[in-house]
Amino acid sequence: MSLRVRFAPSPTGYLHVGGARTALFNWLLARREGGTFVLRIEDTDRERSSPAMVEAILEGMAWLGLDWDEGPWHQAEGVGRHRADALRLLDEGKAYRDFTRPEELARLREEDPDRVIAYPREAADALSEEEEARLLEAGAPFAIRFRVPPGETVWVDRVHGETRFPNGSIEDLVLLRTDGTPTYNLAVVSDDAAMRINLVMRGDDHISNTPKQILLHEALGNPVPDFAHVPMILGPDGKRLSKRHGATAIGDYAHFGILPGAMANFLALLGWSPGTDEEIFTREELVERFSLERVHRKSAVFDPRKLEWMNGEHIARLPIEQLLEHVRAALEEGYPEAARAARELGSERLAGVVRILVPRARVLDDLADRARPFLERRIAYHPEAVRKHWAKDPAAAAGHLEALERTFEETPWREDALEEALRGLAAERGVGAGKLIHPLRVALLGEAVSPGIFEVLVAMGRELALARIRAGREQLAGLERDGA
Ligand code: GLU
């Protein structure tokens, strides 16, 4: 029998990290086993669901590359079937009408809270057929409740192993509310059966629903699906992941410059591990490696810094043409001068710049931001960098820059030659190479950290680098005057 799994989001919010992880696990398993991945939108809660949220969920899934084979089915369209299932159980005596008024239950809750759970069945059983007929005739509102059978419900959870619930701990759940609308548990069971789902994989916050759903499947004579409950996702503080921890909607990550492949990689490792130290996987590799046996029971922790690191690793694996395309587009959007310079520079030189920026980039936009000083004439000096490497001794820094300018004017513009020249100059001046490199870096990029300085010089090109050194000297002259 081939695997049929489903993802069943409620469109009462965006596709959030937890939902996306559950969707991904289902998709991975379906793809790995050649099964079918069904998408079902659980929109029976008309008030809280909205078409915009459905759209956002579909978009989020498309962005992550999670294509579905069937659906999206809309749960609300199955209400007729849900009702028919409830009425069948009523007919067969496996469910009963509950005429208890809400006021009655509220009173009981005050007076005898221990009986609240047992009360509806007691009241229904105490009702004679004639009394029930009279109530129905009078149009008295009623809910339909499932008569939970005695015994124990046991299933072998594909993640948690054997799991047991004494049926005595389960209340007679409502199947149809007094207004005739089906409840979540009924709708899910009815739909899972209709869609021939044979493995229900979902967050373990649903674990207490599972015995109810198993009992309902059994009562309806459905084949009971397997269940796999995947662990919750916690924030770095150990609390359940929520808006407090920053972005939780998948769509936000797309805007932050996270690559879909990196997000999928990151989500896969929230609750699953490959059994080795490897951490970077493409989607195809994940499909190949994923297995339920390696899904953890323990909750997973969402670490945004790890996501950024992983994104950097995925960026580094992208073809350079794709990176250039992104950088060009980002520059065109926000920085016309840099965009023009990038066009004039040509692909090969721009690639030279982008390549040295890649190892430090965490999100795609870092590349465009950090490419700007290589392209624009104007430079912004970072105050912290100035304080650290220029302001302490402006005269010395200016002297070093002047010497570097003279030396570099005569140096072939290659990394090895530039390095040799700089180190020779440092020796000549009786200082460590760092004394030259630090003020030079501030002059070139306005920053205290950067890729290797010789790579920076080459990527920047002789003309701009020398202009920057001259501009740096002017700045330093200003600092000396202000300090004097
Ligand atoms: N619609 C439910 C939810 O969003 C999922 C139900 C299920 O997976 O069984 O939590």
Side-chain angles (χ1 to χ4, degrees):
M1 190 176 47
S2 92
L3 179 74
R4 291 181 62 85
V5 291
R6 72 343 183 244
F7 175 51
S10 304
T12 52
Y14 292 100
L15 180 64
H16 53 88
V17 168
R21 190 278 319 263
T22 299
L24 174 69
F25 280 18
N26 277 288
W27 180 86
L28 286 172
L29 200 64
R31 291 295 167 265
R32 184 185 160 78
E33 312 256 311
T36 304
F37 179 47
V38 179
L39 176 60
R40 180 171 79 225
I41 304 292
E42 304 213 315
D43 55 352
T44 41
D45 185 344
R46 285 299 191 186
E47 263 158 45
R48 291 174 59 227
S49 303
S50 81
M53 291 304 163
V54 174
E55 221 25 69
I57 290 171
L58 301 188
E59 254 173 47
M61 289 183 66
W63 179 72
L64 275 172
L66 308 183
D67 55 334
W68 52 91
D69 306 305
E70 291 179 15
W73 306 122
H74 289 261
Q75 186 157 64
E77 286 164 16
V79 166
R81 176 168 32 73
H82 308 152
R83 276 201 196 113
D85 278 345
L87 294 177
R88 179 149 69 81
L89 292 177
L90 183 64
D91 241 20
E92 294 171 0
K94 294 170 182 167
Y96 58 88
R97 292 190 185 89
D98 172 15
F99 291 94
T100 318
R101 310 292 309 132
E103 311 84 72
E104 232 176 308
L105 268 189
R107 184 180 48 79
L108 200 64
R109 209 165 275 131
E110 295 254 303
E111 287 168 11
D112 194 357
D114 292 343
R115 268 185 69 222
V116 171
I117 287 186
Y119 182 80
R121 189 194 295 201
E122 283 171 18
D125 288 349
L127 217 56
S128 69
E129 264 177 50
E130 297 76 52
E131 284 168 320
E132 186 167 357
R134 215 173 319 118
L135 284 171
L136 284 176
E137 195 137 318
F142 61 88
I144 293 181
R145 280 188 191 261
F146 179 58
R147 190 183 287 274
V148 172
E152 193 181 35
T153 301
V154 185
W155 77 94
V156 180
D157 194 276
R158 300 279 297 274
V159 174
H160 293 262
E162 190 176 273
T163 309
R164 300 169 169 271
F165 275 83
N167 293 359
S169 69
I170 304 168
E171 69 171 323
D172 283 350
L173 48 140
V174 172
L175 301 177
L176 291 183
R177 302 184 186 92
T178 47
D179 63 1
T181 56
T183 55
Y184 157 74
N185 279 302
L186 171 66
V188 165
V189 164
S190 185
D191 286 355
D192 282 341
M195 295 166 194
R196 305 191 322 284
I197 299 303
N198 48 26
L199 171 65
V200 171
M201 188 182 342
R202 59 187 172 191
D204 64 16
D205 51 335
H206 279 290
I207 221 163
S208 63
N209 285 319
T210 300
K212 300 175 193 171
Q213 295 178 9
I214 290 176
L215 288 170
L216 276 179
H217 277 301
E218 286 172 348
L220 286 163
N222 299 333
V224 179
D226 274 358
F227 288 87
H229 289 93
V230 301
M232 285 290 96
I233 301 174
L234 308 179
D237 58 357
K239 304 246 168 66
R240 202 176 149 168
L241 192 66
S242 76
K243 295 229 164 62
R244 274 179 303 122
H245 298 107
T248 54
I250 285 299
D252 291 342
Y253 290 98
H255 296 304
F256 294 160
I258 299 291
L259 300 170
M263 193 75 204
N265 187 170
F266 176 74
L267 291 174
L269 294 178
L270 288 177
W272 170 81
S273 69
T276 64
D277 293 343
E278 295 156 279
E279 291 194 284
I280 305 300
F281 299 99
T282 62
R283 238 186 302 261
E284 294 70 34
E285 287 165 341
L286 288 172
V287 168
E288 212 168 280
R289 304 285 288 271
F290 187 78
S291 79
L292 273 181
E293 286 68 44
R294 294 209 161 275
V295 172
H296 309 159
R297 298 178 188 196
K298 247 185 66 205
S299 29
V301 175
F302 182 96
D303 177 356
R305 287 208 309 266
K306 173 134 189 192
L307 171 59
E308 290 198 353
W309 168 80
M310 215 168 241
N311 200 49
E313 295 294 311
H314 279 261
I315 287 175
R317 286 163 171 76
L318 284 183
I320 188 77
E321 299 76 43
Q322 209 170 318
L323 295 176
L324 291 186
E325 210 171 287
H326 182 87
V327 167
R328 285 202 189 95
L331 293 176
E332 294 290 347
E333 214 166 274
Y335 310 104
E337 187 197 335
R340 193 172 342 103
R343 267 180 263 134
E344 283 162 15
L345 210 54
S347 291
E348 208 168 307
R349 283 283 309 280
L350 188 62
V353 172
V354 169
R355 252 190 219 107
I356 68 169
L357 300 176
V358 159
R360 281 166 184 273
R362 289 289 179 264
V363 294
L364 277 176
D365 284 348
D366 286 347
L367 293 176
D369 285 344
R370 294 187 188 158
R372 285 176 56 204
F374 291 84
L375 299 164
E376 290 169 357
R377 281 283 148 183
R378 217 174 39 85
I379 178 169
Y381 299 103
H382 201 282
E384 186 60 22
V386 169
R387 197 185 55 75
K388 234 165 125 185
H389 300 302
W390 275 6
K392 282 184 189 148
D393 191 347
H400 293 320
L401 286 187
E402 191 186 346
L404 279 168
E405 185 185 338
R406 253 185 290 112
T407 307
F408 284 169
E409 269 167 0
E410 310 295 321
T411 309
W413 216 252
R414 294 191 322 266
E415 277 179 45
D416 57 345
L418 288 162
E419 175 159 12
E420 201 184 305
L422 182 142
R423 293 195 189 282
L425 187 63
E428 217 173 87
R429 298 173 71 82
V431 293
K435 284 275 182 247
L436 271 56
I437 290 173
H438 294 308
L440 174 61
R441 177 176 287 123
V442 181
L444 294 176
L445 296 170
E447 302 266 5
V449 285
S450 76
I453 197 76
F454 306 107
E455 290 178 304
V456 169
L457 284 164
V458 171
M460 190 171 274
R462 174 194 288 269
E463 191 232 345
L464 183 57
L466 290 175
R468 282 275 161 77
I469 295 173
R470 274 191 292 275
R473 286 174 49 207
E474 275 162 32
Q475 287 285 320
L476 279 162
L479 280 181
E480 272 182 83
R481 270 196 311 275
D482 295 347

